[in-house]
Amino acid sequence: MSYLADVGTLARKDLRLELRARDTLPAMLLFVVSTLVVFHFALPAGADEVAAQGLLWVALVFTALLGLARAWAPERESGALEGLVLAPCDRSAIWLGKSIAVFVFLAAVQVVALPAFAAFFGPVGWETVAGVALASVGICTVGTLLAAMAAASRTRELILPLLFLPLAIPLVVGGVGASISSEPLEFLAFLGLYDILFAILCWASFEYVVSE
Amino acid sequence: MSTSSPNNPPSKSRVPALAAAAAGLVGLAIVFAFFVAPEDADQGISQRIFYFHVPIALTAYACFGWGAWKALQHLRGKGERYDLESYVAVHMGTIFGSLTLLTGSIWAKASWGHWWLWEEDQLVLFLVLFLFYSAYFMLRFSIDEGPRRANISAVYALFGVVLVPVSFLAIRLAENVIHPTVFTREGPQMTGSMFLTFCIAWLAITTLAYALYRVELLGKRLDANLRELREALTA
Amino acid sequence: MSSGEKYVAAAYGVVFVTVLVYVAIIAAKLARLERETAELAELARRRNDG
Amino acid sequence: MISARALEKRYGPKRALRPVDLDIEPGSFVVVTGANGSGKTTLLRLVAGLVAPTKGSLEVGAERGELGFLGHEALVYRDLTAVENLDLYGRLYRVPERRERLGMLLERFGLWEARNARAGSYSRGMLQRLALCRTLLHDPKLLILDEPFTALDEEGAMLLDRQLAELRDGRTVILSTHEPRRVEPLASARVALA
């Protein structure tokens, strides 16, 4: 059970850091709402509801990117990642703790973004909410690992979108599909498969991203 | 100063033989593709692009798979030369991936009149993979040389191999219009000699890829040895 | 040539050109390696005489 | 405790550490000296397991949880207080009676008054002392200190001197420094890197 304790410790540390610094969450909230407003003006009057659903996913993916770019900022500014790597805990706990923290931030943003979308564009069905939840799991698990890779590179956040977007394409397909298709369950099952497959891969390979 | 290269002793190099075999097979494949295989009933002559397009796609998959396999061996700590082999394999995969996109686009224009078809699953998948593996090189060149770069490149290569089936499933799900492809689920719809031509072309392209892979590997190892020699001489 | 034949030629041509470009890159690398080895040989010679 | 045979580290063409051999018994106090760029930091990071050797072999008789590493960075979060930082590491290292132990260490290193201040507000010397608390928190069997005196203020340096003197009870210390005279009386082995 000590593994889960470590994950809890690390996740709480990130939540406390965010509450104290308060720089990532407000930025993501403002970003997603302003993006939706921009989309409103970008969508021609006659555009049908399906296009709007698609735009919701574009807004979510790029908001997530903003959050992921800041995911390892505390560790990078203080070099504390080395302190965590030196600790006797399993290094995948570092990844899982950070993923949970990023998921909490993303969920907090979506709690605002989805109602705003419903108000601006059109009703948000249960399938969309389920799709957003499942896709967010994939975004956070894979995104956190990719952000750790980006943190090790000289170009820092610049490379994160290049690493993240190809891997996010299946999530967008699953999410949009769940929102608009006649049988959403097929797409939701696909999102679940994505989450499981990539979570296992991240869990097994994170150690090699942060240590030699 | 007899220092055999740290990576592997200079084995009796099979590369020239490999290159000769590749050249011969490719020549044979072209002869078969143009003169032996019969004209396709509905697509006419443009169907002959198929004999190179699909083998190139399959070879690109093989290269990505080979790169991931070498990456896995590197992560399991088997030796230091797997990182280089994984890198060259992914590089080869990207070259053949680009060729797949180019020949596929030409085939789409010839057969269906458009340079790009979102209905064509293979093509769309290769576009996604092309984006993914281009980022591999951006990532690799933005990290200083060392075990850290090797580990991160290896992990990224493993992600690629998981992304292929997942993306293929996603594209198949996202597509509402199922497009007639030669390879329908119950296997190739080709007569005897067409299938024979396809197999020869496939063997030819795979041999060509392996030959280029070995040539590039030799070049990279030569670089490494020369650098070490320079280090020794100037130390 | 009919448009179909033009496209087939284009497709095979692209493959051919790519391989040729690849050979050219390898040739450039060989030239660089040849120059480097010559440099190192000179360095080694000077080291022995010196 | 630490044994190395032709241990070497290179980053591509750049050589970070020339081949070195080591044979260090448990309980000894090793002083590593050498000019800048001779690889002192690289050697200590190899022993701490932060970097992997390029060539040669290295065995360290301490698990990850039993070694304490003090580098150039304090490895503490700027936005967390001293207590929160040490509590975080205390949990990860499963330190028994965490609260009491970190309180005692903060007290011993003169940080008790500033314990609830953000680490970001600390001076360079205070930060180094907080890092020392972090390094000693789990009572490590092997202590790795990379030029510990450089960033320390005078008071901190005296505290560290007294601390090092008390540490001789079966603990192994490997320390790199520019001023070997300061720790000369304690040293039981010396490694000079070319």
Side-chain angles (χ1 to χ4, degrees):
Chain A
M1 271 306 104
S2 62
Y3 180 79
L4 290 181
D6 293 336
V7 170
T9 305
L10 291 164
R12 270 201 307 281
K13 169 263 294 182
D14 280 309
L15 295 178
R16 182 177 294 140
L17 277 174
E18 178 51 30
L19 289 179
R20 196 147 297 168
R22 281 190 307 282
D23 50 10
T24 311
L25 202 52
M28 289 169 77
L29 278 170
L30 275 179
F31 180 84
V32 74
V33 174
S34 43
T35 309
L36 290 179
V37 172
V38 166
F39 284 160
H40 164 70
F41 293 109
L43 267 179
D48 57 19
E49 197 250 355
V50 171
Q53 290 284 348
L55 289 182
L56 169 65
W57 284 91
V58 172
L60 289 183
V61 164
F62 285 97
T63 308
L65 258 177
L66 203 66
L68 287 169
R70 290 288 307 163
W72 297 100
E75 278 74 20
R76 199 176 47 251
E77 277 143 18
S78 59
L81 184 60
E82 247 177 25
L84 301 180
V85 165
L86 277 166
C89 64
D90 186 321
R91 271 120 187 206
S92 60
I94 301 172
W95 159 75
L96 192 50
K98 183 67 76 174
S99 297
I100 290 171
V102 174
F103 184 83
V104 167
F105 298 154
L106 206 51
V109 168
Q110 282 153 3
V111 160
V112 170
L114 289 179
F117 178 86
F120 291 165
F121 295 97
V124 167
W126 68 272
E127 315 86 1
T128 306
V129 175
V132 165
L134 277 172
S136 297
V137 170
I139 287 173
C140 293
T141 48
V142 172
T144 301
L145 184 132
L146 294 177
M149 285 183 173
S153 86
R154 282 191 306 272
T155 53
R156 292 286 186 276
E157 292 84 12
L158 179 65
I159 199 168
L160 182 58
L162 305 180
L163 303 175
F164 178 71
L165 288 175
L167 281 159
I169 288 173
L171 287 174
V172 171
V173 168
V176 174
S179 312
I180 57 175
S181 102
S182 48
E183 337 103 356
L185 284 184
E186 200 179 287
F187 287 93
L188 291 176
F190 169 73
L191 285 176
L193 174 73
Y194 181 102
D195 291 345
I196 292 166
L197 269 179
F198 276 104
I200 292 171
L201 183 58
C202 291
W203 174 77
S205 62
F206 183 75
E207 162 150 29
Y208 301 104
V209 173
V210 287
S211 64
E212 292 197 355
Chain B
M1 188 163 57
S2 71
T3 58
S4 79
S5 79
N7 308 77
N8 66 340
S11 57
K12 187 187 68 51
S13 180
R14 296 191 314 279
V15 175
L18 209 54
L25 280 168
V26 167
L28 188 67
I30 289 177
V31 164
F32 264 74
F34 283 92
F35 304 108
V36 172
E39 188 95 349
D40 179 78
D42 57 3
Q43 285 185 14
I45 185 162
S46 60
Q47 188 268 345
R48 293 187 192 281
I49 301 176
F50 160 84
Y51 293 119
F52 258 33
H53 168 62
V54 177
I56 287 175
L58 296 175
T59 307
Y61 286 138
C63 291
F64 291 141
W66 184 258
W69 164 244
K70 290 293 176 184
L72 194 63
Q73 280 181 305
H74 166 76
L75 290 180
R76 283 220 299 270
K78 282 270 179 45
E80 86 236 8
R81 59 191 176 87
Y82 291 116
D83 170 49
L84 188 62
E85 289 169 1
S86 172
Y87 164 57
V88 173
V90 168
H91 184 228
M92 216 37 69
T94 310
I95 292 173
F96 280 83
S98 322
L99 274 179
T100 309
L101 285 173
L102 279 172
T103 53
S105 168
I106 293 171
W107 185 19
K109 178 68 177 171
S111 302
W112 297 298
H114 304 286
W115 287 110
W116 183 254
L117 280 167
W118 285 106
E119 292 77 22
E120 186 47 48
D121 293 358
Q122 278 285 341
L123 230 45
V124 176
L125 177 56
F126 265 96
L127 183 59
V128 173
L129 290 181
F130 182 76
L131 295 175
F132 177 84
Y133 280 104
S134 306
Y136 172 90
F137 298 101
M138 296 281 296
L139 178 62
R140 191 178 175 96
F141 298 145
S142 73
I143 302 176
D144 298 331
E145 190 169 350
R148 200 62 186 290
R149 181 178 74 167
N151 282 354
I152 288 180
S153 306
V155 170
Y156 194 81
L158 290 178
F159 271 76
V161 142
V162 177
L163 182 63
V164 169
V166 167
S167 294
F168 191 78
L169 190 55
I171 292 163
R172 189 51 63 98
L173 277 173
E175 183 210 308
N176 28 41
V177 174
I178 303 295
H179 205 85
T181 56
V182 178
F183 271 97
T184 51
R185 273 180 188 66
E186 67 284 352
Q189 294 165 319
M190 286 185 287
T191 61
S193 64
M194 280 170 114
F195 187 63
L196 179 61
T197 309
F198 170 75
C199 292
I200 293 175
W202 190 2
L203 183 62
I205 300 289
T206 309
T207 315
L208 174 67
Y210 190 59
L212 294 181
Y213 167 78
R214 292 303 303 271
V215 165
E216 186 168 338
L217 216 49
L218 271 182
K220 290 276 190 309
R221 291 221 175 96
L222 218 54
D223 276 338
N225 296 345
L226 271 182
R227 215 172 34 200
E228 214 160 305
L229 195 57
R230 182 183 299 278
E231 168 93 10
L233 279 177
T234 53
Chain C
M1 275 202 310
S2 77
S3 78
E5 282 148 7
K6 271 210 295 293
Y7 287 126
V8 172
Y12 282 82
V14 157
V15 174
F16 186 66
V17 163
T18 306
V19 174
L20 276 188
V21 164
Y22 195 85
V23 169
I25 292 171
I26 295 291
K29 181 188 267 281
L30 281 182
R32 182 171 56 80
L33 290 177
E34 197 270 336
R35 205 172 54 257
E36 271 184 35
T37 39
E39 250 172 63
L40 286 180
E42 175 53 29
L43 216 60
R45 212 170 298 116
R46 215 176 312 120
R47 223 163 107 102
N48 290 344
D49 306 346
Chain D
M1 169 57 87
I2 304 172
S3 74
R5 291 290 169 275
L7 179 64
E8 188 182 346
K9 178 68 181 176
R10 314 164 63 96
Y11 288 98
K14 296 192 297 301
R15 181 205 299 266
L17 177 71
R18 277 186 173 58
V20 67
D21 291 322
L22 284 177
D23 264 303
I24 296 172
E25 295 311 321
S28 50
F29 190 108
V30 186
V31 177
V32 177
T33 55
N36 266 345
S38 56
K40 295 198 298 295
T41 298
T42 308
L43 176 62
L44 293 187
R45 287 169 67 84
L46 278 164
V47 171
L50 283 171
V51 289
T54 311
K55 278 209 189 72
S57 71
L58 170 65
E59 278 100 32
V60 177
E63 292 299 318
R64 253 198 296 165
E66 294 165 336
L67 64 86
F69 176 77
L70 177 72
H72 300 307
E73 296 271 348
L75 304 185
V76 289
Y77 288 95
R78 299 284 184 273
D79 285 334
L80 292 182
T81 67
V83 169
E84 284 163 348
N85 270 301
L86 294 181
D87 185 68
L88 168 71
Y89 281 107
R91 287 172 192 272
L92 294 180
Y93 278 88
R94 295 173 183 57
V95 173
E97 301 109 25
R98 193 172 56 244
R99 284 288 172 183
E100 293 73 18
R101 182 147 175 77
L102 70 86
M104 180 267 290
L105 275 171
L106 285 172
E107 177 70 39
R108 185 185 302 175
F109 278 92
L111 294 173
W112 181 253
E113 296 72 27
R115 65 186 182 290
N116 290 323
R118 276 175 358 98
S121 64
Y122 276 26
S123 71
R124 192 72 190 85
M126 288 165 73
L127 211 55
Q128 186 76 348
R129 279 190 264 155
L130 179 58
L132 270 169
C133 297
R134 175 188 58 77
T135 308
L136 297 167
L137 185 60
H138 51 295
D139 193 15
K141 215 162 72 169
L142 168 61
L143 201 53
I144 305 168
L145 306 173
D146 189 0
E147 291 171 15
F149 292 102
T150 46
L152 270 182
D153 44 28
E154 194 37 44
E155 183 204 353
M158 274 189 332
L159 287 170
L160 179 58
D161 280 336
R162 194 150 40 79
Q163 190 66 35
L164 288 179
E166 283 163 19
L167 281 180
R168 295 310 309 280
D169 48 14
R171 202 188 306 275
T172 311
V173 177
I174 180 167
L175 171 145
S176 76
T177 182
H178 279 303
E179 7 158 15
R181 284 176 318 288
R182 186 174 193 121
V183 284
E184 193 45 44
L186 297 167
S188 68
R190 283 152 207 79
V191 174
L193 294 180

